[in-house]
mmCIF file with all atom_site columns, all heavy atoms in Angstrom:
data_model
loop_
_atom_site.group_PDB
_atom_site.id
_atom_site.type_symbol
_atom_site.label_atom_id
_atom_site.label_alt_id
_atom_site.label_comp_id
_atom_site.label_asym_id
_atom_site.label_entity_id
_atom_site.label_seq_id
_atom_site.pdbx_PDB_ins_code
_atom_site.Cartn_x
_atom_site.Cartn_y
_atom_site.Cartn_z
_atom_site.occupancy
_atom_site.B_iso_or_equiv
_atom_site.pdbx_formal_charge
_atom_site.auth_seq_id
_atom_site.auth_comp_id
_atom_site.auth_asym_id
_atom_site.auth_atom_id
_atom_site.pdbx_PDB_model_num
ATOM 1  N N   . ASN A 1 146 ? -21.661 -81.949 -67.691 1.00 0.00 ? 160 ASN A N   1
ATOM 2  C CA  . ASN A 1 146 ? -20.765 -81.122 -68.502 1.00 0.00 ? 160 ASN A CA  1
ATOM 3  C C   . ASN A 1 146 ? -20.971 -81.363 -69.993 1.00 0.00 ? 160 ASN A C   1
ATOM 4  O O   . ASN A 1 146 ? -20.894 -80.425 -70.799 1.00 0.00 ? 160 ASN A O   1
ATOM 5  C CB  . ASN A 1 146 ? -19.311 -81.393 -68.126 1.00 0.00 ? 160 ASN A CB  1
ATOM 6  C CG  . ASN A 1 146 ? -18.942 -80.816 -66.770 1.00 0.00 ? 160 ASN A CG  1
ATOM 7  O OD1 . ASN A 1 146 ? -19.517 -79.827 -66.327 1.00 0.00 ? 160 ASN A OD1 1
ATOM 8  N ND2 . ASN A 1 146 ? -17.981 -81.422 -66.098 1.00 0.00 ? 160 ASN A ND2 1
ATOM 9  N N   . ALA A 1 147 ? -21.226 -82.608 -70.368 1.00 0.00 ? 161 ALA A N   1
ATOM 10 C CA  . ALA A 1 147 ? -21.469 -82.917 -71.783 1.00 0.00 ? 161 ALA A CA  1
ATOM 11 C C   . ALA A 1 147 ? -22.757 -82.258 -72.270 1.00 0.00 ? 161 ALA A C   1
ATOM 12 O O   . ALA A 1 147 ? -22.806 -81.720 -73.387 1.00 0.00 ? 161 ALA A O   1
ATOM 13 C CB  . ALA A 1 147 ? -21.536 -84.427 -71.978 1.00 0.00 ? 161 ALA A CB  1
ATOM 14 N N   . LYS A 1 148 ? -23.793 -82.270 -71.452 1.00 0.00 ? 162 LYS A N   1
ATOM 15 C CA  . LYS A 1 148 ? -25.054 -81.626 -71.831 1.00 0.00 ? 162 LYS A CA  1
ATOM 16 C C   . LYS A 1 148 ? -24.868 -80.121 -72.014 1.00 0.00 ? 162 LYS A C   1
ATOM 17 O O   . LYS A 1 148 ? -25.410 -79.517 -72.953 1.00 0.00 ? 162 LYS A O   1
ATOM 18 C CB  . LYS A 1 148 ? -26.122 -81.893 -70.771 1.00 0.00 ? 162 LYS A CB  1
ATOM 19 C CG  . LYS A 1 148 ? -26.649 -83.326 -70.766 1.00 0.00 ? 162 LYS A CG  1
ATOM 20 C CD  . LYS A 1 148 ? -27.679 -83.517 -69.662 1.00 0.00 ? 162 LYS A CD  1
ATOM 21 C CE  . LYS A 1 148 ? -28.257 -84.921 -69.666 1.00 0.00 ? 162 LYS A CE  1
ATOM 22 N NZ  . LYS A 1 148 ? -29.247 -85.128 -68.571 1.00 0.00 ? 162 LYS A NZ  1
ATOM 23 N N   . LYS A 1 149 ? -24.098 -79.512 -71.131 1.00 0.00 ? 163 LYS A N   1
ATOM 24 C CA  . LYS A 1 149 ? -23.821 -78.078 -71.257 1.00 0.00 ? 163 LYS A CA  1
ATOM 25 C C   . LYS A 1 149 ? -23.101 -77.780 -72.566 1.00 0.00 ? 163 LYS A C   1
ATOM 26 O O   . LYS A 1 149 ? -23.358 -76.759 -73.223 1.00 0.00 ? 163 LYS A O   1
ATOM 27 C CB  . LYS A 1 149 ? -22.976 -77.600 -70.072 1.00 0.00 ? 163 LYS A CB  1
ATOM 28 C CG  . LYS A 1 149 ? -23.728 -77.533 -68.754 1.00 0.00 ? 163 LYS A CG  1
ATOM 29 C CD  . LYS A 1 149 ? -22.795 -77.121 -67.618 1.00 0.00 ? 163 LYS A CD  1
ATOM 30 C CE  . LYS A 1 149 ? -23.505 -77.130 -66.278 1.00 0.00 ? 163 LYS A CE  1
ATOM 31 N NZ  . LYS A 1 149 ? -22.569 -76.802 -65.168 1.00 0.00 ? 163 LYS A NZ  1
ATOM 32 N N   . LYS A 1 150 ? -22.214 -78.671 -72.955 1.00 0.00 ? 164 LYS A N   1
ATOM 33 C CA  . LYS A 1 150 ? -21.445 -78.479 -74.186 1.00 0.00 ? 164 LYS A CA  1
ATOM 34 C C   . LYS A 1 150 ? -22.340 -78.588 -75.417 1.00 0.00 ? 164 LYS A C   1
ATOM 35 O O   . LYS A 1 150 ? -22.142 -77.867 -76.401 1.00 0.00 ? 164 LYS A O   1
ATOM 36 C CB  . LYS A 1 150 ? -20.315 -79.509 -74.244 1.00 0.00 ? 164 LYS A CB  1
ATOM 37 C CG  . LYS A 1 150 ? -19.216 -79.185 -75.231 1.00 0.00 ? 164 LYS A CG  1
ATOM 38 C CD  . LYS A 1 150 ? -18.030 -80.117 -75.030 1.00 0.00 ? 164 LYS A CD  1
ATOM 39 C CE  . LYS A 1 150 ? -16.872 -79.766 -75.958 1.00 0.00 ? 164 LYS A CE  1
ATOM 40 N NZ  . LYS A 1 150 ? -15.707 -80.651 -75.747 1.00 0.00 ? 164 LYS A NZ  1
ATOM 41 N N   . ILE A 1 151 ? -23.319 -79.487 -75.372 1.00 0.00 ? 165 ILE A N   1
ATOM 42 C CA  . ILE A 1 151 ? -24.272 -79.592 -76.480 1.00 0.00 ? 165 ILE A CA  1
ATOM 43 C C   . ILE A 1 151 ? -24.952 -78.253 -76.714 1.00 0.00 ? 165 ILE A C   1
ATOM 44 O O   . ILE A 1 151 ? -25.077 -77.772 -77.850 1.00 0.00 ? 165 ILE A O   1
ATOM 45 C CB  . ILE A 1 151 ? -25.333 -80.676 -76.200 1.00 0.00 ? 165 ILE A CB  1
ATOM 46 C CG1 . ILE A 1 151 ? -24.713 -82.069 -76.278 1.00 0.00 ? 165 ILE A CG1 1
ATOM 47 C CG2 . ILE A 1 151 ? -26.490 -80.570 -77.212 1.00 0.00 ? 165 ILE A CG2 1
ATOM 48 C CD1 . ILE A 1 151 ? -25.668 -83.183 -75.881 1.00 0.00 ? 165 ILE A CD1 1
ATOM 49 N N   . LEU A 1 152 ? -25.396 -77.626 -75.636 1.00 0.00 ? 166 LEU A N   1
ATOM 50 C CA  . LEU A 1 152 ? -26.125 -76.360 -75.747 1.00 0.00 ? 166 LEU A CA  1
ATOM 51 C C   . LEU A 1 152 ? -25.209 -75.206 -76.123 1.00 0.00 ? 166 LEU A C   1
ATOM 52 O O   . LEU A 1 152 ? -25.523 -74.415 -77.022 1.00 0.00 ? 166 LEU A O   1
ATOM 53 C CB  . LEU A 1 152 ? -26.832 -76.053 -74.417 1.00 0.00 ? 166 LEU A CB  1
ATOM 54 C CG  . LEU A 1 152 ? -27.931 -77.030 -73.992 1.00 0.00 ? 166 LEU A CG  1
ATOM 55 C CD1 . LEU A 1 152 ? -28.446 -76.687 -72.602 1.00 0.00 ? 166 LEU A CD1 1
ATOM 56 C CD2 . LEU A 1 152 ? -29.077 -77.024 -74.998 1.00 0.00 ? 166 LEU A CD2 1
ATOM 57 N N   . SER A 1 153 ? -24.068 -75.107 -75.448 1.00 0.00 ? 167 SER A N   1
ATOM 58 C CA  . SER A 1 153 ? -23.200 -73.950 -75.655 1.00 0.00 ? 167 SER A CA  1
ATOM 59 C C   . SER A 1 153 ? -22.546 -73.948 -77.035 1.00 0.00 ? 167 SER A C   1
ATOM 60 O O   . SER A 1 153 ? -22.205 -72.888 -77.565 1.00 0.00 ? 167 SER A O   1
ATOM 61 C CB  . SER A 1 153 ? -22.121 -73.896 -74.566 1.00 0.00 ? 167 SER A CB  1
ATOM 62 O OG  . SER A 1 153 ? -21.236 -74.995 -74.664 1.00 0.00 ? 167 SER A OG  1
#
Side-chain angles (χ1 to χ4, degrees):
N160 288 332
K162 287 179 178 179
K163 288 177 183 177
K164 197 169 183 179
I165 289 174
L166 296 174
S167 66

